[in-house]
Amino acid sequence: GGVAAAAAASVDGATAGAGAAAEAGPPWPVALSLAVHPRPLALGPEARSAWHRIIDNVLEGTPCGLCVFATYFPGEAAALLALCRDHGAFCELPFENPFFLRP
């Protein structure tokens, strides 16, 4: 397998907080975050909630920088773009891997 799609989110200024759900949160702000295969469509409400908190922390930990997310499936990329937009981030799907084999 390989990366089917990558979503890039650029966040200018503070993002919406995840509140108490972001228990540990990021330790300090960074300018670049790389997230390989986050699972915004994880099965089950607990797993999905946990992954949404992780994605929230990535976005909140990159308040004035670039987040690059690599996903395997187009549906994951679409869900991830929606989560990023909910945070007020500028999002784009810059490319799809032409070598990824789909069933």
Side-chain angles (χ1 to χ4, degrees), residues 62-89:
T62 317
C64 296
L66 179 68
C67 300
V68 178
F69 296 91
T71 63
Y72 278 103
F73 305 107
E76 291 177 328
L80 193 53
L81 288 174
L83 287 170
C84 292
R85 289 186 180 122
D86 287 347
H87 273 271

Side-chain angles (χ1 to χ4, degrees), residues 7-79:
S10 176
V11 183
D12 295 323
T15 58
E23 292 105 11
W28 56 81
V30 297
L32 174 65
S33 292
L34 303 175
V36 179
H37 199 223
R39 298 194 51 214
L41 300 177
L43 296 177
E46 288 181 24
R48 187 170 294 190
S49 176
W51 276 104
H52 285 206
R53 284 193 313 270
I54 291 167
I55 294 164
D56 289 345
N57 284 335
V58 169
L59 292 168
E60 290 174 8
T62 317
C64 296
L66 179 68
C67 300
V68 178
F69 296 91
T71 63
Y72 278 103
F73 305 107
E76 291 177 328

